[in-house]
Amino acid sequence: MLFNSIDFAVFLPIVFILYWFATNNNLRLQNFLITVASYFFYGWWDWRFLALILFSTIIDYTVGLLLQKQETLLHRKILLWVSIIVNLGFLGFFKYYNFFQENFISAFTFFGYDIQASSVNIILPVGISFYTFQTLSYTIDIYKRKLEPTNDFIVFSAFVSFFPQLVAGPIERATHLLPQFYVKRKFEYTKAVDGMRQILWGLFKKIVIADNCAEYANQIFNNSEDLSGSTLVLGAIFFTFQIYGDFSGYSDIAIGTSRLFGFDLMQNFNFPYFSRDMAEFWRRWHISLSTWFRDYLYIPLGGSRGGTWMKVRNTFIIFLVSGFWHGANWTFIVWGGLNALYFMPLLLTNNNRQNIGPIAEDRLLPSFKEVLQISITFSLAVFAWIFFRSTDINHAIDYISTIFSSSLFDSVDYRKINRSLLTISMILFLIIIEWLGRDGKHALQKFGLSWKTSIRLTFYFIVCLLIFMFSGKEQEFIYFQF
């Protein structure tokens, strides 16, 4: 079920009414309703994958209870590895089976061996990368004694399948989200209104920005061999805002929807395109994933404690794994490696945490230095996104080669450039609103609250009108494929 669909527009108010009015604020009934609604929501795509998420839930629930009873270190490690192998085994099979098979065959063909094998038509379950990491955080935290396991299977099922963030995050930690299912929830008007504002802005980013940028980015990337370097730069910029509008838009809708039901999810995007260096970019982009890799991979590998070599090695590992997490294609691995290279100068000079504070704090406009820093960081991100979007490595190399050819200085030869001007104006509108609202956890959290009610409502009406004008495409979210 898509957030930007009529189906969800019917589903959400029904669940909301049942949750607050039919359960009589009974916590167990509310949790049960969330579980049923979440399984219905997930099964709307393909009911067959409900068995997969249920099996994963049962395994980690059982492992959690057994870990609580075990004191022997060996037995605890065995239980932990059962959870890791089952979860990563499912993820590896559904997501990477054909990738490894094809590369295995290619390697042997290179050395003169002819291996015949047919690919298996495997359907990737929506959201498997997200809920797999979420359940893994549960068993790992219990193993590390940071969390007590739950005895309530309904609560744990609700935690694993919580429909707002089930298929594309944020990837919630058990230590943060699970306890919220035990706290009696009361409807809070201010929290719900703020949630609606965040949903509104998320829909704007998805429908107005991402879906329209996708149209132009797809046309340019799919016909890149016939276009000039200047046009390919435009295509890369369109994709840059497509993936941001799409993924951060999903996160906004997920977080806002959660607030309607009395839950607080972690912030997943913190205006990353205003970053002053790549280290800051990765503190602001897909925060739930980058912090997951930090806590469950980077730190266990030794983090930054073992000297320069260990820091470099561990940084490359988490970026390469992050790239591979996104998909079974060498383009994602190169994208991850490129971001690791971006990170290196900051890491080696100990400047990777120099830009921690807010951008242009207490000022309307950034300084010239900040503008230059933001421009350089944005350009590096755009360049890396070319690999992310390309169909394969050769496509990416050809695309970049054309950009750095003499045609870079030619006029844009994209035949739909005039049509795209409206989308470009919407991107500028997005940038302005997000800059003015950058002090909040989402763009509209504080933006316009000091205005007269009539002016603020007029602004919301304009945003709604833009969403309505640009609606109708109902494209899936990019991160559903990951």
Side-chain angles (χ1 to χ4, degrees), residues 194 197 200-201 271 364 429-452 455-460 462-463:
D194 184 63
R197 283 197 296 265
L200 177 66
W201 193 241
F271 312 103
L364 176 61
F429 178 74
L430 168 82
I431 293 171
I432 291 170
I433 300 303
E434 296 227 319
W435 177 262
L436 295 175
R438 68 191 185 281
D439 292 334
K441 290 188 176 180
H442 62 89
L444 301 188
Q445 184 183 34
K446 299 177 182 179
F447 181 81
L449 293 187
S450 61
W451 298 350
K452 290 183 179 179
I455 298 175
R456 187 169 65 252
L457 292 177
T458 300
F459 170 78
Y460 296 151
I462 291 171
V463 175

Side-chain angles (χ1 to χ4, degrees), residues 23 73 83 157 166 189 226-227 309 317 343 354:
T23 62
L73 180 60
S83 173
S157 299
L166 170 61
Y189 176 79
D226 301 321
L227 300 172
W309 159 244
I317 288 174
F343 201 87
Q354 64 177 344

Side-chain angles (χ1 to χ4, degrees), residues 139-155:
T139 50
I140 293 172
D141 284 344
I142 293 174
Y143 174 80
K144 292 182 175 180
R145 302 188 190 279
K146 293 181 178 179
L147 178 73
E148 289 294 319
T150 176
N151 293 308
D152 192 325
F153 184 72
I154 296 299
V155 164

Side-chain angles (χ1 to χ4, degrees), residues 87-158:
N87 283 288
L88 295 187
F90 279 137
L91 182 62
F93 174 75
F94 284 101
K95 194 167 183 176
Y96 302 109
Y97 176 84
N98 283 333
F99 173 81
F100 284 117
Q101 183 195 64
E102 290 165 6
N103 281 277
F104 179 80
I105 294 171
S106 297
F108 273 84
T109 302
F110 178 79
F111 289 106
Y113 296 95
D114 185 19
I115 298 178
Q116 300 295 326
S118 58
S119 296
V120 180
N121 185 23
I122 299 173
I123 301 173
L124 181 66
V126 175
I128 188 171
S129 297
F130 292 89
Y131 70 72
T132 294
F133 273 32
Q134 186 152 308
T135 56
L136 275 177
S137 78
Y138 173 78
T139 50
I140 293 172
D141 284 344
I142 293 174
Y143 174 80
K144 292 182 175 180
R145 302 188 190 279
K146 293 181 178 179
L147 178 73
E148 289 294 319
T150 176
N151 293 308
D152 192 325
F153 184 72
I154 296 299
V155 164
F156 186 68
S157 299

Side-chain angles (χ1 to χ4, degrees), residues 189-287:
Y189 176 79
T190 54
K191 180 182 284 190
V193 169
D194 184 63
M196 290 297 295
R197 283 197 296 265
Q198 192 162 5
I199 291 171
L200 177 66
W201 193 241
L203 288 171
F204 173 84
K205 286 197 280 189
K206 169 58 179 170
I207 295 172
V208 179
I209 302 298
D211 288 355
N212 286 280
C213 283
E215 178 184 351
Y216 305 120
N218 291 342
Q219 289 170 353
I220 292 173
F221 271 87
N222 294 341
N223 300 281
S224 58
E225 67 278 2
D226 301 321
L227 300 172
S228 66
S230 56
T231 307
L232 299 193
V233 170
L234 181 64
I237 292 173
F238 274 131
F239 179 71
T240 296
F241 283 98
Q242 176 197 350
I243 194 167
Y244 172 68
D246 193 285
F247 194 20
S248 71
Y250 185 97
S251 293
D252 279 339
I253 299 169
I255 296 167
T257 301
S258 300
R259 292 178 73 80
L260 295 180
F261 295 91
F263 291 88
D264 288 311
L265 301 184
M266 69 178 297
Q267 185 181 14
N268 209 21
F269 287 84
N270 186 17
F271 312 103
Y273 289 155
F274 297 146
S275 301
R276 291 155 289 186
D277 59 50
M278 289 307 295
E280 184 180 17
F281 176 85
W282 281 105
R283 286 192 295 272
R284 294 174 175 271
W285 179 276
H286 201 174
I287 300 168

Side-chain angles (χ1 to χ4, degrees), residues 1-17 40-41 44 163 196 199 203 207 253 257 260 474:
M1 193 179 298
L2 298 171
F3 281 162
N4 55 325
S5 68
I6 297 298
D7 302 327
F8 187 74
V10 173
F11 169 82
L12 181 60
I14 291 175
V15 177
F16 179 84
I17 291 169
F40 179 84
F41 176 87
W44 194 260
F163 75 88
M196 290 297 295
I199 291 171
L203 288 171
I207 295 172
I253 299 169
T257 301
L260 295 180
E474 216 172 281

Side-chain angles (χ1 to χ4, degrees), residues 8 69 71 75 155 162 176 224 237 239 262 306 323 403 476 482:
F8 187 74
K69 298 175 182 177
E71 294 298 331
H75 292 166
V155 164
F162 190 40
H176 178 241
S224 58
I237 292 173
F239 179 71
I403 288 178
E476 282 196 353
F482 306 136

